[in-house]
Amino acid sequence: MEGWLVKNPKRKFRYYVNLAKQAEFQRMQAKIKEKLRVALLVSKAAFHFIDAGQLSPYTYNVPDDVKSAGFGIDADELASIVDGHDIKKLRFHARVEGIADKLTTSATNGIIANGDNLKLRQKIFGFNKFDEKPPRGFWIFVWEAFQDLTLMILAVCAIVSLGVGIVTEGWPKGAYDGVGIGLSICIVVFVTAISDYRQSLQFRDLDKEKKKIFVQVTRDGYRQKVSIYDLVVGDLVHLSIGDLVPADGLFISGYSLLINESSLTGESEPVSVNKDSPFVLSGTKVQDGSANILITTVGMRTGWGKLMATLTEGGEDETPLQVKLNGVATIIGKIGLAFATVTFIVLTLRLIIEKSINHLAWSGADAVTIVNFFAIAVTIIVVAVPEGLPLAVTLSLAFAMKKMMNERALVRHLSACETMGSATCICSDKTGTLTTNHMAVVKVWICEIASKIENAREAENLRSKIPEIVLKLLFQSIFQNTGGEVVVTKEGKREILGTPTESALLELGLSLSGDFVAERRESKIVKVQPFNSAKKIMTVVVELPDGKHRAYCKGASEIVLKMCKNVVNANGEIDAMDEALSCHLMNVIDGFACEALRTLCLAFIELESSFSPEKEIPTNGYTFVAIVGIKDPVRPGVKEAVQVCKNAGILVRMVTGDNINTAKAIATECGILTEDGIAIEGPDFRVKSIEEMKNLIPKIQVMARSSPMDKHTLVKHLRTDLGEVVAVTGDGTNDAPALHEADIGLAMGIAGTEVAKESADVVILDDNFATIVNVAKWGRSVYINIQKFVQFQLTVNVVALIVNFVSACLTGTAPLTAVQLLWVNLIMDTLGALALATEPPNDELMKRMPVGRTGSFITREMWRNVIGQSIYQLIVMAVLEIEGTRLLGLHGSDAESVLNTLIFNSFVFCQVFNEINSREIEKINVLKGTFNNWIFIGVITSTVVFQIIMVQFLCNFSSTVPLDGKLWLISVLLGFLSMPIAVVIKCIPVKPKQPAQYNEYKRLPSGPDQLN
């Protein structure tokens, strides 16, 4: 809602940043980045000036407390070296090796990781944590809930009513109205505050989950995973492509390290880090290469920590659904304001006219009456302005986020919950998502023979067939050209570290009795080109013991094969590769792929002795060594999950970097590739014209050998040309463009890099496709739940407004008092949202078509239900108001009070039973699954119990009188009748004629014919 119509700006978008404030926050962030950038440039210039000898020599004294702790350098000195890129200070301290000595750490074995040493380092150098804004306490939420303009006006009305009432009618009778309104306000405020406070706790817990990041460190000579919050100065951290740098540090060793500092300085050009320029800053990202770094500065002393300290305003924009609902709320609010104004004018004019006609004198009681008229008008606004809409969205999203966390999906952006419910297409990776990502080499082609290698006996048999010279080449190809590592744990067990593919290759080398450590010591690595999604190969240049240089290459089979002009034959000799041999090898690769095996090729090339790291590694002329077939089984349950997606009208496409035959075999096994579907390779796809793509894309079910830009192009066309709502999975740094382009980005929690996770909306913690389907189910649940709540709230709004307005015009009184309207408001806002917005999903949700990008939020079925129920409730209220006394045989002085109480009671029970009706928008069976939702049962039960207490025991407070059993039965019966009437209403057809098919799938039945 906009401007003056916002009842409580502080609660407008719960846990969503005020947009004006967020713009200010972004401006501040840009300013700070610019200052940091300028500071870096100035500091670098200053240090060049120092190096030129223009200033006095540098001196440094170690503080006593640091010296007594056994260290030779303090935290501030370390921070000034790295943050300022101070080469002179670095030289003064004997470069990286000298700083490592002063931090009593080893550049190979890391720190000694006993508890006392870690605590001492944290005491001297600080913790790797940022100062965070303290969480808001409960009473702040109470205060914010009271900042509601209408509640403050009602509080003033309560005070005036209390004062005038006591003066005119004495204590306690004159205080009932004022105290009643005051207590109602307190209940509304506390219920609202409790709801908001609980949500804040949920969001805080989820925020902690987002920040759970682990890094590889070496301590006591052993590689291990450590939380970034447990890092200490002196730690030896291993970085690879896609990692976020967890703290400031210095480069020790590594290859081709490129760091993206845009998050810190705004500069988009990556920075090369090496021994000459060893500075690595916290909060930046590894764009390429790998490295070991020495941690020098942690927490608030880092540049990133200083940046975070200045940014106190967090959160997100409102979700698309909230924007849509705020438009609805604005319209309803304006209508309510008009009704309230007219109601107050009509009631006041009737009182004035009545006084004038009957020549009655004005008294203090009349002042109380006018105050009550005003309170009723204000309360109509309270009821009319549906603040429950944003609350329902947030409640439903928070509830879904918490439940999805239990089902191994971490939601990073709230809007993804509701957007996923509208998804019409999922572009999924193969490896690790559709497959288990537990890889093993099961077949090898080497020395002109293909052999299975699924157990130790077969491995030994293969080893006996390979000449020693070829075996040596194979070991070097595997152990030298790898991003993985074979380490020994503290328990003495051998452990393989690295990606599943690297681990599978290393396991192959070890199974053939290879020695990782010996092979690595034998040669010196000169240059490394790490694997990335664009090149699909990894190459390493080593210096052999005789001083010669050799490059080893591995990667996508077709690409490596095209780079080769020779092949190692069965005797270990090198033969020239002719066309026939190349075709034979291609057939072997296709044969492996048709068995659903991932294929990689290994090759090498001899280089001149004068090779230097500055030179480019050759891209042809290699000698072919081996083909390895890696088995990666399909995950259990994936085929069923794909079928669930098909039933739900969600088309699943596989987008992978693997060989097309492997991709087709896996896609067929999963049920993704059908007879009328197309499988295409990335290189073929990217050369198509726009017109060809438009015709081709709807039929594409598998894209193999795809590059990151192929995936991005596919997603872009699906969204813009076909109007699809697209979910995309990704695990690598290069997947970030597609994740950004998609409506919902899904990053893999196990295989995914930190950059991919940061770009995603949802992190799939178990990397399982079935979890993605659960996310879609929860997304649909959120959307449907909010629709249910909107339907319920619109009905209450319409009836409450019309009843009070018409009654005021015809009788001069409002049948529902301010206190009663506040209670109704509580039922339909906070309690209604709690009951309907927390309905768990059911399997039926995945048997209906997706809403898509253009679906209307308030559907024809919803309008039908709202109008039908409103007409019924208005008829009940009208009959009771006009003929209630005669029909019920009410007599005596309290007949009017009894009738008004009955109207109030019947109205509330109509809402209670309509809340049950609202559990299903189209289906007739609204009771199915009720007992699976204890929140719903609790809300309905507490509403009924408190209604009984209000009517029977809090008469003065709620302006009611106790009802006898007969009238209670009538009230409940009138409410219950809304249920059979709902059945009749749902049988009224309102759907337009629909096409027989959607996305190539037959439409499923829906509506009243679905009785279960």
Side-chain angles (χ1 to χ4, degrees), residues 236-461:
L236 187 64
V237 173
H238 307 272
L239 298 176
S240 55
I241 295 177
D243 285 346
L244 290 176
V245 179
D248 287 359
L250 294 168
F251 177 93
I252 296 176
S253 62
Y255 308 98
S256 311
L257 186 65
L258 287 179
I259 298 291
N260 185 334
E261 295 185 348
S262 60
S263 58
L264 194 63
T265 65
E267 293 285 349
S268 58
E269 194 66 29
V271 176
S272 177
V273 176
N274 47 49
K275 288 193 174 182
D276 295 327
S277 177
F279 309 107
V280 184
L281 300 177
S282 171
T284 57
K285 305 180 185 91
V286 180
Q287 186 164 316
D288 202 359
S290 60
N292 298 326
I293 66 167
L294 174 70
I295 298 299
T296 58
T297 317
V298 294
M300 298 306 295
R301 284 191 173 93
T302 65
W304 185 249
K306 292 168 187 171
L307 176 64
M308 295 301 289
T310 61
L311 307 177
T312 56
E313 186 67 30
E316 303 177 36
D317 293 347
E318 69 275 21
T319 72
L321 193 52
Q322 280 187 316
V323 172
K324 203 178 279 189
L325 290 182
N326 278 313
V328 174
T330 301
I331 295 168
I332 297 172
K334 288 178 179 178
I335 293 170
L337 181 64
F339 269 79
T341 305
V342 174
T343 301
F344 176 70
I345 292 170
V346 168
L347 288 173
T348 308
L349 284 175
R350 283 185 69 101
L351 179 64
I352 293 170
I353 292 167
E354 190 179 315
K355 288 281 182 183
S356 301
I357 292 172
N358 297 325
H359 304 290
L360 298 173
W362 291 86
S363 64
D366 296 323
V368 174
T369 303
I370 292 174
V371 170
N372 286 338
F373 288 165
F374 185 69
I376 288 168
V378 173
T379 311
I380 287 174
I381 299 174
V382 174
V383 175
V385 177
E387 270 205 322
L389 293 184
L391 170 61
V393 177
T394 314
L395 262 177
S396 192
L397 292 174
F399 179 73
M401 284 176 73
K402 193 75 173 174
K403 293 294 182 182
M404 277 196 273
M405 189 70 216
N406 297 336
E407 296 189 18
R408 313 303 297 145
L410 171 63
V411 179
R412 291 179 55 83
H413 302 128
L414 273 182
S415 58
C417 283
E418 63 192 45
T419 310
M420 194 65 195
S422 304
T424 58
C425 169
I426 298 174
C427 294
S428 174
D429 278 343
K430 176 183 75 68
T431 306
T433 307
L434 299 170
T435 59
T436 60
N437 212 20
H438 296 150
M439 299 190 190
V441 176
V442 295
K443 211 167 184 180
V444 176
W445 184 97
I446 188 168
C447 293
E448 301 182 5
I449 55 172
S451 306
K452 285 188 176 180
I453 181 169
E454 296 183 355
N455 52 53
R457 185 177 57 82
E458 289 179 343
E460 186 59 36
N461 186 39

Side-chain angles (χ1 to χ4, degrees), residues 114-147:
N114 60 56
D116 292 338
N117 185 26
L118 294 176
K119 288 177 182 175
L120 180 63
R121 288 175 185 273
Q122 289 174 334
K123 179 182 176 183
I124 298 296
F125 300 106
F127 293 82
N128 195 33
K129 292 182 178 177
F130 303 132
D131 293 343
E132 294 183 355
K133 194 176 179 182
R136 295 186 298 171
F138 173 71
W139 292 105
I140 293 175
F141 286 95
V142 172
W143 173 249
E144 288 189 355
F146 186 69
Q147 301 306 299

Side-chain angles (χ1 to χ4, degrees), residues 690-746:
I690 301 247
E691 200 56 44
E692 287 175 319
M693 282 189 181
K694 283 182 181 178
N695 297 325
L696 185 66
I697 285 174
K699 299 174 186 174
I700 291 177
Q701 292 177 345
V702 175
M703 185 185 289
R705 289 290 180 232
S706 65
S707 70
M709 287 317 296
D710 293 334
K711 186 188 273 192
H712 179 270
T713 303
L714 175 66
V715 172
K716 185 177 179 182
H717 282 289
L718 283 169
R719 291 184 70 245
T720 55
D721 296 338
L722 302 180
E724 301 268 10
V725 178
V726 185
V728 170
T729 69
D731 54 16
T733 304
N734 290 323
D735 287 324
L739 290 171
H740 273 300
E741 178 66 31
D743 295 285
I744 313 102
L746 304 160

Side-chain angles (χ1 to χ4, degrees), residues 755-790:
V755 173
K757 292 176 191 176
E758 196 178 69
S759 301
D761 302 298
V762 180
V763 178
I764 307 301
L765 298 175
D766 60 359
D767 290 14
N768 194 342
F769 184 80
T771 303
I772 297 172
V773 178
N774 281 336
V775 173
K777 186 193 292 185
W778 274 103
R780 291 190 175 195
S781 178
V782 167
Y783 197 88
I784 293 286
N785 285 349
I786 298 166
Q787 282 186 314
K788 293 173 186 175
F789 174 73
V790 168

